[in-house]
Amino acid sequence: MTADLPGNANIVIIGGGVIGCSIAYHLGQLGAPDVLLVERKKLTSGTTWHSAAQVRQLRSTRTMTEIIRYSTELYARLEAETGQATGWTPSGSLSIATNPDRLTHIRRQAGLARCYGVDVHEVGPDEIKSLWPLINMSDIVGGIYCPTDGRANPSDLCAALVKGARANGVKIIEDCAVSGFDVSDGSVKSVATPMGRIKCRTAVLAAGLWSRDIGAMAGINVPVYACEHFYLLTKPMDGIAGHLPTLGDHDGHLYLRDEVGGLLAGCFEPKGKPVSVENLPKDFEFDLLDEDWDHFEPMMLNAMHRIPALEVAEARMLLNGPESFTPDGHPIVGQASGVDGFYLACGLNSAGVACGGGIGRAIAEWIVAGEAPMDLLDVDPSRFHAVENHLPGLDARVGEVLGLHYAIAYPGREHETARNLCCSLLHDRFSSRGARFGQRYGAERPLYLDPRSHSNTALTFDRPAWFDQVQRECDAARSAVAIFDQSLFGKFLIEGKDAEAVLQRACANDMSRAPGRIIYTSMLNTRGGIESDLTAMRVTESSYLFYTGALSASRDSAQIRRHIKPHEHVTITNVTDDYAVLGVMGPNARQLLAKVTDADLSNDAFPYFTHSQIEIAGRSVRAARLSYIGELGWELSPSTEDTPYVIDALLDAGAGFGVRLAGAYAMNAMRIEKSYLSLGHDIGPDTTPLEAGLGFAVKLKSDLDFTGRAALEATEKEGLPRRLVTLILEDPDIYPFGDEPIMAGSELIGQTSSAAFGHTIGKPVALGLIRLEPGQSASDLEALSCTIDVGGRPSPARASLSCPFVPKGVRVHGHYASAAGAA
């Protein structure tokens, strides 16, 4: 497939593995003009060609489940559509458990799969043995069977995708490496190759192992790094007849399946072997790495335990090929931060074929429509800080990531490698008091505090080891005062005489409030879905200070920038690192602050959702009257240089008011008790403000236009398809944490989005979306009795449109509470 390189293209796809070929196919299907795919060597020659090419829909996140479900649908029809064989074999998958926690894990995956229409069911010993006659059943406690899973021949699959792409005008050029980009005025202008330069409007990086280096040519962080991946192929064996479901023995770190009359036994061993791309030959093409039988031996013993017939099987080869992994084990999919028109689809963590169909469609539809077609926040490129792209950290992390590929998805799991890359200015104050930290956006954040040096930190699906510590933090915040480190908030300043006009188009809420007021708002897509969840402080008539999630500052500011017209005067400055944020929350918050400031903090002088500069310990601090836990509170933003003085003043003055430092786990539990929502969990691009009960923060009663308005008006006319509710579970000894099916009898009616134990109410509490039937209104869900499937354990629950806990003196507005009346 060589041809003269065109000097112009609308869209340039970089990489001819399964992801690039799928993007090309789907762009062709959508009729996108002038699409060009360039591949450094031959199609599939990097990682795709040696893929085991399994497609398993049982996953632990909504995004991955949806992506892979579509892949199975595409691969099932692609051969008939194109006339090109794909090797698609819908032989199903069988996931087994050898301990109760693994059984809970795969039951949770099955419950999530059912929420998206995937056919799965639990199987007992007899059915397991009938599906896999050679299996050793001695330690198996249960299993899940998914009949619609399968596998493909990766090279044939790509040939079919390419045939479909070329039939719709996509041009493909092999032996054409990318050597650079022209990026100017914040967008990609051209792609450089040794064969010439290609002017373009859009570039898509799907270059697998080489994505990090190629992204760097455009100034884009792409934290992917290779690990060695092993699977054993045997010669034909007795007892292998026809196709078997892919067997997932994940407690043994294994996947197994039939292969040409023998077996394929692959692994994700507990500690992977990183391999630097710089150490691969420059002409690496259809190549493999050296066999390493010593490294594979423990996995081989596990495989022989599960399939005793392997003890006498003859090995054909031990395949060792490089695969690219990311710091968190999730793909990188979406528009790159800081460069418009540049998309990433890489870091597939050994799931390229499984994800290929879904990611190809998502990227293609995003390019054509100008916005993501589904909620892809889990895999958004902006979730990584630049510090996570450094080679030493990647080399340390990816071996752990590979080893966790089949790990049980316990709540509270944190990576152990590549830590302390970035710490807030409050880190030492929390650490010295026993804080246990998690990592978010490359930075350490306190999860809970436990001064005991040898306390239990074992992970479980039951009562967590940190339960009592979080209880104490919640008690302090509800009855006295707690201080939270919220410094990871993204912060950006918008200035200019046209700032209000731009924000009125970009934001769903009315941005014309007076200086000194705080505005809670979202930014929507054209479907009315919530792309961004923001708090804006109007500083002057021409400036706003925005606070957003840790991962969202660059993404949100880019979305606002796209609303600026050429003649408008607006600047956007990221000030995230200029300020810390201390959340001072609880009934005693005002008394504590009164000890360290002369500012008038009364309701009349400092009402809810206002902000002001105050002085603490002789330092100027922006104080915002709001609280994510529903109690009286302020968020204080001292400058970086003033932060140590401010936190020390608060701690010194706090002894008489019961002050306690608190972490993210306590805040999460309390915000769910108050029915406060979290982007990426309860709300996102597939959820509208009306579905989420956030209609009070949308300016539909005005005549101002904004992105998403038409979709919301249509929803108001047609009626809500679903509504977010709070769910109180009756059993105090069950521990949901989100993404559980909500059932009415045997009928699936919804899905939880986040959940925690409500320490204030003494019961588990969840948030979730429940489907509304035609003619139903949200009020019909009030006091609805339902059941939540928590890892295979049905737990009775009651739905409510209001929050289960309201502090004294607080008046409630839907799923948010105003503390204006708090004493």
Side-chain angles (χ1 to χ4, degrees):
M1 296 180 194
T2 58
D4 293 335
L5 187 77
N8 293 276
N10 182 32
I11 302 164
V12 177
I13 303 165
I14 303 157
V18 66
I19 301 297
C21 292
S22 179
I23 295 168
Y25 166 85
H26 285 92
L27 285 170
Q29 291 286 304
L30 293 171
D34 298 324
V35 178
L36 171 67
L37 185 153
V38 295
E39 160 57 39
R40 60 180 286 277
K41 294 293 184 180
K42 301 297 182 186
L43 296 178
T44 79
S45 64
T47 294
T48 296
W49 75 275
H50 62 71
S51 169
Q54 280 136 198
V55 184
R56 178 179 178 269
Q57 297 167 87
L58 268 66
R59 301 286 165 166
S60 295
T61 69
R62 289 173 268 178
T63 302
M64 292 294 284
T65 302
E66 282 198 90
I67 282 172
I68 298 173
R69 179 186 58 79
Y70 171 75
S71 291
T72 64
E73 296 172 357
L74 172 66
Y75 300 164
R77 69 172 190 261
L78 191 60
E79 182 172 336
E81 176 190 317
T82 63
Q84 166 66 47
T86 62
W88 174 247
T89 305
S91 51
S93 72
L94 172 62
S95 302
I96 60 170
T98 64
N99 59 72
D101 279 2
R102 175 67 65 180
L103 187 57
T104 296
H105 170 78
I106 60 176
R107 282 171 170 168
R108 285 188 60 87
Q109 290 184 324
L112 182 59
R114 290 187 192 102
C115 290
Y116 294 95
V118 178
D119 179 16
V120 292
H121 65 271
E122 192 161 340
V123 290
D126 292 342
E127 191 170 356
I128 292 173
K129 190 68 176 178
S130 69
L131 289 167
W132 257 88
L134 295 179
I135 197 169
N136 169 19
M137 293 288 302
S138 64
D139 55 351
I140 295 175
V141 299
I144 299 290
Y145 176 55
C146 180
T148 57
D149 285 346
R151 76 258 200 156
N153 179 301
S155 298
D156 288 347
L157 174 64
C158 287
L161 291 167
V162 166
K163 186 175 181 180
R166 297 182 76 200
N168 285 300
V170 176
K171 190 170 187 177
I172 296 171
I173 299 182
E174 298 178 303
D175 300 307
C176 183
V178 168
S179 56
F181 300 91
D182 174 16
V183 175
S184 58
D185 299 324
S187 62
V188 61
K189 305 297 184 183
S190 69
V191 178
T193 79
M195 299 170 63
R197 185 172 293 275
I198 314 154
K199 293 181 179 179
C200 63
R201 295 182 179 180
T202 302
V204 186
L205 179 56
L209 302 171
W210 295 274
S211 295
R212 182 181 182 276
D213 290 346
I214 296 174
M217 298 174 187
I220 296 169
N221 287 311
V222 187
V224 301
Y225 199 86
C227 261
E228 300 182 25
H229 178 55
F230 299 87
Y231 61 77
L232 171 73
L233 293 166
T234 77
K235 293 181 178 180
M237 299 168 49
D238 291 339
I240 303 294
H243 292 301
L244 301 169
T246 298
L247 175 62
D249 180 7
H250 297 167
D251 290 320
H253 314 283
L254 299 169
Y255 60 89
L256 302 106
R257 71 155 204 247
D258 62 277
E259 180 73 13
V260 195
L263 282 181
L264 181 155
C267 68
F268 291 94
E269 63 275 23
K271 178 60 177 175
K273 292 181 63 179
V275 54
S276 172
V277 172
E278 282 71 23
N279 292 333
L280 298 178
K282 295 298 182 184
D283 58 350
F284 194 83
E285 176 186 11
F286 295 115
D287 287 324
L288 295 172
L289 305 175
D290 293 338
E291 294 182 344
D292 188 341
W293 284 98
D294 289 340
H295 184 78
F296 186 71
E297 182 181 11
M299 301 299 101
M300 185 69 213
L301 293 174
N302 289 353
M304 289 190 293
H305 167 74
R306 185 58 55 216
I307 308 296
L310 277 170
E311 294 181 13
V312 296
E314 187 175 354
R316 180 154 60 93
M317 71 175 298
L318 178 61
L319 186 144
N320 178 9
E323 304 260 7
S324 57
F325 290 79
T326 64
D328 64 359
H330 296 298
I332 300 174
V333 182
Q335 189 155 7
S337 297
V339 182
D340 284 348
F342 202 111
Y343 294 80
L344 306 178
C346 44
L348 273 297
N349 303 278
S350 202
V353 171
C355 296
I359 288 178
R361 179 178 70 166
I363 288 290
E365 291 183 354
W366 193 335
I367 291 169
V368 171
E371 63 183 26
M374 59 180 286
D375 186 344
L376 293 169
L377 294 178
D378 278 355
V379 295
D380 193 278
S382 65
R383 72 186 188 275
F384 293 117
H385 192 283
V387 298
E388 297 175 272
N389 194 34
H390 293 169
L391 287 175
L394 285 170
D395 187 83
R397 172 61 64 83
V398 295
E400 181 188 8
V401 169
L402 181 145
L404 293 174
H405 191 81
Y406 284 155
I408 294 173
Y410 291 116
R413 183 183 293 282
E414 293 285 340
H415 289 100
E416 297 177 0
T417 56
R419 296 297 298 269
N420 294 306
L421 302 176
C422 183
C423 298
S424 91
L425 292 166
L426 303 174
H427 183 273
D428 290 346
R429 304 305 192 278
F430 277 77
S431 179
S432 65
R433 290 163 174 80
R436 307 302 170 90
F437 292 89
Q439 190 180 53
R440 188 170 181 82
Y441 196 49
E444 302 295 311
R445 65 167 181 166
L447 301 178
Y448 64 97
L449 287 88
D450 185 351
R452 298 172 297 172
S453 59
H454 300 291
S455 59
N456 176 31
T457 57
L459 299 175
T460 177
F461 287 118
D462 296 320
R463 178 178 167 131
W466 48 81
F467 185 92
D468 292 338
Q469 286 71 40
V470 173
Q471 172 81 65
R472 286 190 281 270
E473 293 170 24
C474 291
D475 289 346
R478 293 289 190 225
S479 63
V481 59
I483 299 176
F484 299 86
D485 182 0
Q486 298 176 273
S487 302
L488 285 184
F489 274 142
K491 314 165 195 77
F492 54 93
L493 184 65
I494 298 185
E495 300 174 288
K497 67 183 183 67
D498 298 308
E500 181 181 316
V502 170
L503 293 174
Q504 290 287 39
R505 296 194 298 271
C507 297
N509 207 344
D510 185 359
M511 305 302 291
S512 65
R513 314 293 168 82
R517 297 300 304 272
I518 300 172
I519 308 162
Y520 170 70
T521 188
S522 53
M523 289 191 289
L524 311 180
N525 53 44
T526 59
R527 306 188 308 277
I530 298 171
E531 293 285 344
S532 305
D533 185 57
L534 303 152
T535 300
M537 303 179 197
R538 190 157 195 179
V539 182
T540 68
E541 289 292 339
S542 59
S543 64
Y544 298 76
L545 179 61
F546 276 80
Y547 282 53
T548 185
L551 288 63
S552 302
S554 59
R555 185 175 179 273
D556 293 347
S557 58
Q559 186 162 340
I560 292 172
R561 189 174 286 109
R562 295 184 193 109
H563 285 83
I564 301 173
K565 297 177 180 179
H567 66 277
E568 291 179 315
H569 297 277
V570 175
T571 62
I572 304 177
T573 307
N574 191 320
V575 295
T576 297
D577 295 334
D578 295 348
Y579 303 97
V581 181
L582 294 79
V584 181
M585 303 176 190
N588 293 346
R590 179 180 287 118
Q591 293 141 285
L592 170 59
L593 288 173
K595 285 287 187 180
V596 296
T597 183
D598 293 331
D600 186 349
L601 304 175
S602 66
N603 280 326
D604 290 340
F606 210 139
Y608 189 59
F609 258 52
T610 64
H611 67 96
S612 179
Q613 290 291 134
I614 66 172
E615 191 172 286
I616 296 177
R619 315 285 166 160
S620 180
V621 175
R622 185 174 301 280
R625 173 82 187 279
L626 72 166
S627 162
Y628 195 37
I629 66 173
E631 297 283 351
L632 176 70
W634 278 263
E635 291 178 0
L636 308 177
S637 297
S639 67
T640 53
E641 58 268 26
D642 290 341
T643 296
Y645 302 96
V646 173
I647 183 63
D648 288 343
L650 290 168
L651 292 174
D652 290 345
F657 302 103
V659 70
R660 180 183 286 269
L661 299 185
Y665 287 168
M667 177 170 281
N668 185 59
M670 289 185 285
R671 69 96 183 165
I672 296 174
E673 284 184 321
K674 289 297 289 107
S675 303
Y676 286 3
L677 311 182
S678 173
L679 184 71
H681 296 279
D682 314 301
I683 52 177
D686 295 335
T687 310
T688 72
L690 304 183
E691 292 172 332
L694 300 177
F696 67 89
V698 180
K699 53 178 178 264
L700 284 176
K701 292 182 180 179
S702 76
D703 59 358
L704 297 171
D705 195 18
F706 59 91
T707 300
R709 177 172 187 134
L712 297 187
E713 289 176 332
T715 297
E716 280 195 322
K717 182 178 180 180
E718 298 164 5
L720 289 174
R722 56 185 186 166
R723 179 61 155 80
L724 191 139
V725 300
T726 301
L727 299 137
I728 302 172
L729 287 75
E730 296 177 6
D731 184 354
D733 296 319
I734 201 161
Y735 298 90
F737 56 94
D739 284 337
E740 295 96 1
I742 304 171
M743 310 295 294
S746 60
E747 182 184 4
L748 176 69
I749 61 170
Q751 180 182 352
T752 64
S753 50
S754 56
F757 188 86
H759 291 275
T760 314
I761 64 173
K763 293 180 179 181
V765 60
L767 302 171
L769 286 160
I770 293 181
R771 184 180 69 248
L772 290 168
E773 301 296 341
Q776 274 191 314
S777 66
S779 61
D780 294 319
L781 301 180
E782 185 65 53
L784 173 74
S785 294
C786 57
T787 300
I788 299 177
D789 177 358
V790 184
R793 295 171 59 190
S795 184
R798 175 178 53 82
S800 176
L801 296 177
S802 58
C803 57
F805 174 75
V806 180
K808 182 180 179 181
V810 176
R811 64 175 185 265
V812 178
H813 297 292
H815 272 76
Y816 274 79
S818 167

